[in-house]
Amino acid sequence: MKSIEWLGNALRILDQSKLPVEILYRDAVSYESVAEAIENMEVRGAPAIGAAVAYGFVLGALEYQGDRDGLPSFMEKVQSRLAETRPTAVNLFWALRRMEDRLRECWDMDDLDDVRRVLTEEANRIAEDDRRMNRLIGEVGNEIVPDKANILTHCNAGALATVEYGTALGVIRSAHMAGKMIHVYADETRPLLQGARLTALELLEEKIPVTLITDNMAGYLMQQGKIDLVIVGADRIAANGDTANKIGTYSVAVLANAHGIPFYVAAPTSTIDLKVANGQEIPIEERPANEVRECFGVSVAPEEVKVFNPAFDVTPAKYITGIITEKGMVTAPYSVNLLKLMVRS
């Protein structure tokens, strides 16, 4: 299953909100339909979102029917709409900046079809970069996974969250392919159950041993000595190493620290945001209340109860053993070493 696939004039999207009950693909033919797919969590995971908005940008250029002079203002509207979909995932803004820069380089082109071709090539490069980076992350991360390890992961940072292969699950996949007899515990990840619906599905398909647990079981398993390390993904990493990831990640990190268990973040360098000094500056998206009041359309709470539903939390750098990237492992002091990593060619 591919999270997204470019068809030349449409973006084929796997609706992840329907998994694992139904495998449903739909073809987005406008930038608005891409934006809605991201907001509705049909496309999710920071790397996949980055590639999706790049193709959404291309669809905007394909939709435009005016003359050459009107294109810049139209594409500003396209970019603005795509940028507002998920404020925490920095890959979204990284991809849009790349597309915007490429568009600026096309201003001297008179033929709009040439502009569209150049933009499509750039979106394809963004997707290919994600494939390449994820496989390298897997290779780097494999080095820290011992044989016969019991690994805890939270949410879904696998192939479904990326263009291909995965970040945290990419590390797990690489360790499995290396012949290591690993076992994964997957947090269910309330309220949208990405761990239960997506991570469990991916690992079963790869024939990687997996056990599903509820989020509030993680501490007990650590107390019982059943977890050797934790690997999670990331949606944004601040310059000091503070990391935003799916809500509940912070709790897992604190528990791991209390039990002396290594806690790793796996993410491409496109997720590192040196413009953000620390986690307090990372915008945290709050999602609709019914995601908590309901579960797949079934009410599980009183309709009138107030709900607080942040999609992400921030894990302070002090709880992170290492950040696994395609350029190598980064450890503390993160303020120094992340900067060194980002200037490395």
Side-chain angles (χ1 to χ4, degrees):
M1 294 181 292
K2 293 182 178 180
S3 60
I4 59 172
E5 183 179 10
W6 180 243
L7 302 179
N9 58 359
L11 182 65
R12 179 154 292 170
I13 292 169
L14 171 62
D15 185 351
Q16 295 187 41
S17 69
K18 301 289 194 297
L19 291 173
V21 176
E22 182 180 6
I23 298 175
L24 176 66
Y25 288 91
R26 71 176 183 87
D27 294 346
V29 296
S30 68
Y31 74 89
E32 177 61 32
S33 59
V34 172
E36 290 174 356
I38 295 169
E39 289 172 334
N40 296 334
M41 303 282 281
E42 296 173 36
V43 178
R44 41 140 310 271
I49 289 172
V53 297
Y55 286 120
F57 196 90
V58 173
L59 287 172
L62 290 172
E63 287 178 71
Y64 178 69
Q65 297 297 316
D67 59 25
R68 181 68 182 76
D69 292 339
L71 181 63
S73 61
F74 181 81
M75 293 308 295
E76 282 182 16
K77 182 176 73 170
V78 171
Q79 183 171 354
S80 177
R81 175 67 181 103
L82 292 169
E84 70 185 13
T85 53
R86 300 295 302 276
T88 304
V90 74
N91 301 64
L92 183 156
F93 303 100
W94 167 81
L96 284 178
R97 280 195 301 271
R98 280 185 57 169
M99 297 303 294
E100 182 185 23
D101 290 346
R102 203 75 180 99
L103 180 62
R104 285 200 186 100
E105 294 171 7
C106 297
W107 286 151
D108 59 346
M109 292 183 177
D110 295 325
D111 191 335
L112 284 178
D113 286 338
D114 286 340
V115 174
R116 294 176 180 121
R117 174 183 52 77
V118 169
L119 293 178
T120 302
E121 289 172 352
E122 185 64 17
N124 287 337
R125 274 191 290 269
I126 288 171
E128 185 54 40
D129 284 348
D130 185 64
R131 294 186 184 95
R132 176 184 56 82
M133 289 189 290
N134 286 324
R135 291 187 177 276
L136 289 171
I137 288 168
E139 292 175 14
V140 172
N142 176 45
E143 299 299 318
I144 58 91
V145 178
D147 192 20
K148 300 180 181 179
N150 287 298
I151 305 168
L152 176 69
T153 191
H154 187 75
C155 196
N156 172 263
L160 293 171
T162 63
V163 176
E164 188 178 291
Y165 204 71
T167 54
L169 291 197
V171 172
I172 290 167
R173 183 173 282 113
S174 293
H176 175 71
M177 291 172 65
K180 295 177 180 177
M181 304 298 289
I182 58 172
H183 173 267
V184 180
Y185 285 99
D187 281 344
E188 63 177 352
T189 322
R190 278 282 290 150
L192 296 181
L193 303 176
Q194 292 96 328
R197 296 187 300 105
L198 308 178
T199 295
L201 177 65
E202 284 199 47
L203 294 175
L204 286 172
E205 288 201 339
E206 293 286 336
K207 295 182 170 51
I208 298 173
V210 56
T211 300
L212 179 66
I213 63 171
T214 63
D215 295 353
N216 54 2
M217 294 177 185
Y220 177 71
L221 264 67
M222 293 179 185
Q223 187 184 59
Q224 297 298 307
K226 293 185 177 181
I227 305 296
D228 298 305
L229 72 159
V230 179
I231 309 175
V232 299
D235 286 81
R236 188 181 302 215
I237 300 171
N240 73 336
D242 292 352
T243 296
N245 192 49
K246 183 56 59 183
I247 190 73
T249 304
Y250 169 57
S251 302
V252 173
V254 171
L255 286 167
N257 179 262
H259 292 86
I261 296 169
F263 180 96
Y264 292 97
V265 171
T269 51
S270 56
T271 306
I272 299 169
D273 188 358
L274 296 181
K275 295 178 181 178
V276 171
N278 54 58
Q280 292 180 333
E281 297 181 9
I282 297 175
I284 299 298
E285 173 190 3
E286 187 170 350
R287 294 195 52 83
N290 275 349
E291 289 183 352
V292 176
R293 292 196 195 105
E294 299 177 357
C295 188
F296 297 98
V298 178
S299 179
V300 295
E303 254 184 60
E304 63 274 17
V305 70
K306 292 182 179 179
V307 170
F308 179 49
N309 186 22
F312 306 94
D313 57 26
V314 176
T315 298
K318 66 181 180 180
Y319 295 125
I320 298 172
T321 306
I323 299 173
I324 306 164
T325 79
E326 79 278 7
K327 294 184 178 182
M329 173 79 70
V330 186
T331 56
Y334 292 107
S335 295
V336 174
N337 291 334
L338 283 174
L339 180 60
K340 287 181 179 178
L341 180 84
M342 294 301 281
V343 299
R344 190 186 307 168
S345 60

